[in-house]
Amino acid sequence: MSDGQSILLTGGSGYVGSHTYVALVQAGFKPYILDNFSNSKKNVVERLERITGLPVPWHEGDTRDVSLLQEIIVKNDIAAVMHFAGFKSVSESVANPLKYFDNNLAGMIGLFKAMENSACRTLVFSSSATVYGDPIEIPITEKSPKNFLNPYGYTKIVCEEMLASLSVSNTQWRNGVLRYFNPVGAHPSGLIGEDPSGPPNNLMPYLAQVAVGKLPILNIYGNDYPTPDGTGVRDYIHVQDLAEAHVAALKTLFKTGSGFTVNIGTGRGYSVMDVVYEFEIACGKSIPYQFVERRSGDIAVCYADATLAKNLLNWNAKLSLTDMCIDSWRWQSNDFS
Ligand code: NAD
Ligand code: UDP
């Protein structure tokens, strides 16, 4: 259990933030949500109240609003911030890089200013395996070189570099950088999950929408990759495990006072076909699919070396691909979207 510290979750009503909210409550923290609801719905707050059985403190606002953030941090005696807020679509970032620079970079600078001004310098940041670009080693360790393939990946690298510079400027900054691999799945209650606006870009939500009949067919981008069945391989991680990784990261920052950068994955890769087969079992239907051209910018294989997270945070993923598909399906079939 924690000492009940108050934790600010920027983007806390989004996919990863909402699941982390529940995990923080269960671990004895007092999370507080700030979100501008640009990619989430306000009814997530009510569902979080149903899951936790407690009122959810939240505020509608933007991370670029420095004075608002500062006021929230001071008024609620915020001990640490988890920074989820940001845009995450690779294709949208290619089409509109300025939108990504503005939200992901200016948004983070706004948060930094508010934190610095209120002497709250403990931060957990949502980074991504995208910072490795086309990885030169598999499994990927944290020492692998960083490289970006699109503006979204660029923003994550710049955010990581800004965090490193802040720690040099003032040693009171304690930054935990979590490089997520492929978060999927949903809370076992079926009340919260991934709720993309518009057609999903990612495999699991697309697959789920095909299964429920919202979309006609799954396009599988390439079956000629150098992988056992020719389809792309990724390290899918259950969002519930990811939420627990945030709690572990926070506890480690409070305990050790030192920052870190860690991969958050299972350490295991599954192909697109593995996911399709497992999802078919979970939903009890066959999924219509067709092979199409490779998606531009896609890499063949990406999975983590998850050793450092185990050693440093005493955390490892526990849930299986079966759990991920069952929970995704439960959420999708509820159709709260
Ligand atoms: P999400 O879009 O579901 O959640 C992000 C939340 O932030 C949304 O509720 C949105 O309304 C809010 N938001 C966006 N810009 C904001 C701003 N300027 N001010 C206030 N609120 C703002 O995304 P997610 O999947 O929960 O991802 C959370 C973080 O994790 C993001 O930074 C993302 O880049 C990173 N990440 C996600 C994945 C993934 O596959 N889900 C993988 C790697 C990294
Ligand atoms: N993928 C696919 N069809 C889709 C979406 C994704 O075949 O509609 C494939 C994609 O080529 C990759 C894997 O599924 O091999 C995971 O893609 P996702 O976009 O979920 O994650 P990322 O590529 O960003 O790791």
Side-chain angles (χ1 to χ4, degrees):
M1 289 293 278
S2 78
D3 298 329
Q5 292 106 319
S6 298
I7 314 296
L8 176 64
L9 274 53
T10 71
S13 76
Y15 176 45
V16 184
S18 58
H19 290 79
T20 304
Y21 181 94
V22 176
L24 284 168
V25 170
Q26 284 167 352
F29 291 98
K30 284 195 281 183
Y32 187 105
I33 291 176
L34 170 100
D35 205 298
N36 64 6
F37 301 101
S38 55
N39 197 40
S40 58
K41 302 195 177 95
K42 285 188 186 151
N43 62 17
V44 169
V45 172
E46 289 148 36
R47 298 208 222 113
L48 288 175
E49 290 182 342
R50 275 175 69 186
I51 294 171
T52 59
L54 293 167
V56 170
W58 63 281
H59 201 104
E60 182 166 0
D62 194 288
T63 53
R64 285 161 291 197
D65 187 343
V66 180
S67 53
L68 171 69
L69 259 74
Q70 212 169 308
E71 191 190 316
I72 291 172
I73 292 170
V74 172
K75 212 164 137 191
N76 297 286
D77 195 19
I78 298 292
V81 178
M82 291 191 172
H83 184 44
F84 301 99
F87 294 144
K88 61 171 180 177
S89 160
V90 168
S91 55
E92 189 187 37
S93 78
V94 173
N96 194 351
L98 279 179
K99 181 175 174 182
Y100 276 67
F101 298 157
D102 190 16
N103 201 35
N104 293 8
L105 300 181
M108 185 129 179
I109 292 168
L111 173 65
F112 287 152
K113 285 183 183 165
M115 291 179 73
E116 185 66 57
N117 294 346
S118 44
C120 168
R121 299 190 184 88
T122 304
L123 179 72
V124 177
F125 173 59
S126 304
S127 191
S128 166
T130 194
V131 299
Y132 298 116
D134 195 349
I136 59 161
E137 59 171 358
I138 298 287
I140 305 172
T141 69
E142 289 80 357
K143 290 197 168 66
S144 295
K146 290 192 270 187
N147 195 0
F148 62 89
L149 300 175
N150 49 65
Y152 169 67
Y154 174 75
T155 66
K156 288 298 178 193
I157 292 179
V158 174
C159 286
E160 286 197 6
E161 296 298 329
M162 288 197 288
L163 281 168
S165 303
L166 276 182
S167 309
V168 171
S169 76
N170 184 335
T171 52
Q172 287 178 0
W173 276 94
R174 301 182 285 187
N175 304 319
V177 175
L178 305 186
R179 292 181 178 155
Y180 311 166
F181 277 66
N182 289 61
V184 296
H187 191 267
S189 65
L191 287 169
I192 51 171
E194 189 166 14
D195 190 6
S197 39
N201 293 306
N202 298 111
L203 176 64
M204 187 74 90
Y206 202 103
L207 191 52
Q209 293 199 12
V210 173
V212 86
K214 259 191 181 177
L215 292 168
I217 190 163
L218 172 71
N219 290 316
I220 298 182
Y221 300 131
N223 61 347
D224 57 352
Y225 282 107
T227 61
D229 63 20
T231 64
V233 168
R234 296 290 183 277
D235 186 340
Y236 298 95
I237 172 163
H238 199 300
V239 67
Q240 290 285 96
D241 276 330
L242 180 55
E244 290 302 331
H246 285 78
V247 175
L250 190 64
K251 286 183 174 171
T252 304
L253 285 176
F254 284 142
K255 194 166 132 195
T256 66
S258 314
F260 49 80
T261 297
V262 288
N263 288 338
I264 302 294
T266 63
R268 187 164 174 183
Y270 286 102
S271 74
V272 177
M273 290 316 301
D274 291 332
V275 179
V276 171
Y277 294 143
E278 201 58 54
F279 207 94
E280 288 185 328
I281 296 169
C283 70
K285 304 177 190 189
S286 57
I287 309 277
Y289 67 82
Q290 63 189 354
F291 295 115
V292 298
E293 288 295 295
R294 289 181 181 192
R295 183 170 64 177
S296 143
D298 262 1
I299 54 176
V301 180
C302 176
Y303 60 91
D305 180 325
T307 316
L308 189 61
K310 176 73 190 155
N311 293 343
L312 209 61
L313 312 182
N314 193 25
W315 168 91
N316 61 289
K318 298 196 170 61
L319 299 169
S320 66
L321 183 62
T322 307
D323 299 313
M324 301 177 208
C325 293
I326 289 173
D327 290 335
S328 275
W329 175 240
R330 186 184 299 107
W331 158 246
Q332 184 65 59
S333 15
N334 277 341
D335 197 17
F336 285 121
S337 50

